[in-house]
Amino acid sequence: MIEKRVLGKTGLEVSRLALGGLFTSSYGGELKQSIETVHRAIELGVNYIDTAPAYFDSEVVLGKALQTIDAPVVMSTKLGGRPKPFDPKDKDLLRRSFDQSCEDLGRDTIEILFVHEPDRPGQYNWWNGADDYQGPVLELLHELKSEGRIKALGLGGTTAYKMTRLVETGLFDVLLTAANYSILWREAEIELLPAAKKHGVAVVAGTPLQQGALARRWDAEIKDGCSWMAPPRRKQFLAFYELLDSLDMSLIELAHRFVLSHPDIDCVLSGARSVSEIEGNVAAVQGGPLPAGVLKQLDDIAAMVPFRPYDEPTVLPFSGSYLGPAELR
């Protein structure tokens, strides 16, 4: 079974591997496939599932999948993007979105409610001012907590520095950070993770496979092309693959175990669209933290490109197009 850990001050005990809901939806596959994936995850000890209104019909699919599950499941979802036209300053509409999430998921309560993308410039205008982190969404979160409908207030975003400012307010219980902490991308180490530790904020780290860049090897693409790739990044990938050749573990295992090796990360959130994928993810985390020697070698390779090159795409287009659901994890 999978190790569990209490999420900071929330009191919620969660499996150290969580199931991301983006691919348990029509985007990831047929309904039967998604339901089988969810059921297998729970059989294997996963007790935490994250979703969002923005993840296609994931909430509806998960609601159907969980109808026949007796085991307790910690659920998180988000506010953001619904209903349309979306107004992040309309508290009544935000409450309607939460009520819709509950209806779709078949639950009266949801353990963790995240403010979705509270950090990315121009995404959602949640706050009263640029550095005034107050607004109707925070009022609603406190109301829902006082009503017993949620247990924890969360932040879910992707930036490494704006999110830090939000964590430093001390207003939130759980941080879901994505795309800024993986084997070759370490921006969250600089300020974000230390801030979460200082303020007692639990950390869930998403996209251990860096939105597909670490989902599989891209040897041919890196050697033969990738005009968008900076030379230091190319050298870094080649060094990483050389190390991988010397290790007795898969890239999927290495990526998941790396994230869980950080002492201040409570849980790794990874998507799966099939039984085989969730079984692979569970097998990966059961190895536990990586040996110190391997971590040192990975640190040295990560230091070859300490910051993302300016013109590097957020989702690396190795395949020549936007990566599909099997890879965006």
Side-chain angles (χ1 to χ4, degrees):
M1 297 297 285
I2 304 172
E3 179 189 356
K4 292 184 171 62
R5 180 183 286 194
V6 175
L7 275 180
K9 55 193 174 187
T10 70
L12 298 166
E13 187 177 55
V14 301
S15 50
R16 299 207 69 197
L17 172 69
L19 175 62
L22 175 59
F23 306 120
T24 51
S25 69
S26 56
Y27 178 64
E30 298 295 327
L31 176 62
K32 181 176 181 291
Q33 176 179 297
S34 292
I35 290 176
E36 290 173 348
T37 302
V38 174
H39 288 182
R40 185 59 175 149
I42 293 172
E43 287 175 0
L44 293 171
V46 175
N47 79 332
Y48 173 28
I49 302 175
D50 174 74
T51 184
Y55 298 167
F56 303 90
D57 56 349
S58 173
E59 290 182 328
V60 173
V61 171
L62 287 169
K64 293 177 179 178
L66 295 173
Q67 283 178 348
T68 57
I69 298 296
D70 294 327
V73 175
V74 174
M75 179 66 64
S76 63
T77 191
K78 305 175 182 74
L79 293 171
R82 185 182 67 192
K84 297 183 182 301
F86 181 63
D87 182 357
K89 296 292 182 61
D90 190 324
K91 189 167 70 173
D92 291 336
L93 291 181
L94 295 178
R95 181 177 280 272
R96 280 170 48 191
S97 178
F98 175 76
D99 289 340
Q100 185 66 56
S101 292
C102 289
E103 180 179 340
D104 291 345
L105 290 165
R107 300 165 65 100
D108 296 322
T109 61
I110 293 173
E111 282 75 18
I112 308 169
L113 185 59
F114 289 104
V115 183
H116 205 179
E117 304 289 2
D119 54 321
R120 190 181 299 172
Q123 182 77 352
Y124 298 128
N125 185 26
W126 291 109
W127 314 115
N128 292 336
D131 296 308
D132 178 10
Y133 303 118
Q134 297 290 327
V137 66
L138 200 57
E139 296 171 15
L140 176 62
L141 288 172
H142 285 294
E143 288 177 10
L144 291 172
K145 191 171 184 179
S146 68
E147 295 166 10
R149 300 195 66 193
I150 65 172
K151 293 185 178 180
L153 283 62
L155 292 167
T158 57
T159 65
Y161 306 106
K162 186 67 172 179
M163 286 288 282
T164 300
R165 307 288 85 80
L166 287 158
V167 167
E168 289 173 338
T169 66
L171 297 170
F172 300 92
D173 306 308
V174 183
L175 165 69
L176 169 53
T177 184
N180 57 32
Y181 190 73
S182 63
I183 291 173
L184 303 183
W185 286 263
R186 308 282 190 92
E187 293 90 345
E189 283 183 331
I190 298 169
E191 282 193 327
L192 185 56
L193 296 181
K197 181 178 181 179
K198 177 180 178 181
H199 293 277
V201 177
V203 179
V204 178
T207 61
L209 305 185
Q210 199 63 34
Q211 297 177 299
L214 301 176
R216 67 174 178 85
R217 293 180 62 142
W218 303 94
D219 297 76
E221 291 83 356
I222 290 171
K223 292 177 181 177
D224 298 339
C226 295
S227 60
W228 49 265
M229 181 174 278
R233 182 71 85 192
R234 179 176 283 105
K235 291 179 181 178
Q236 182 190 50
F237 262 96
L238 295 175
F240 173 57
Y241 289 164
E242 184 177 351
L243 171 62
L244 189 61
D245 287 337
S246 71
L247 299 175
D248 185 23
M249 68 181 76
S250 69
L251 178 51
I252 300 296
E253 178 182 352
L254 188 66
H256 284 78
R257 291 178 65 185
F258 168 77
V259 175
L260 289 179
S261 296
H262 196 294
D264 300 327
I265 291 178
D266 299 292
C267 177
V268 59
L269 176 67
S270 187
R273 64 170 183 169
S274 66
V275 168
S276 62
E277 286 186 1
I278 191 61
E279 288 177 343
N281 291 349
V282 169
V285 303
Q286 286 177 329
L290 292 169
V294 174
L295 288 172
K296 175 61 169 62
Q297 293 177 84
L298 292 174
D299 288 347
D300 291 342
I301 292 171
M304 295 172 65
V305 188
F307 296 98
R308 184 188 290 272
Y310 175 77
D311 54 353
E312 181 175 277
T314 301
V315 180
L316 304 190
F318 282 120
S319 59
S321 62
Y322 194 74
L323 298 176
E327 296 164 334
L328 273 173
R329 298 193 291 154

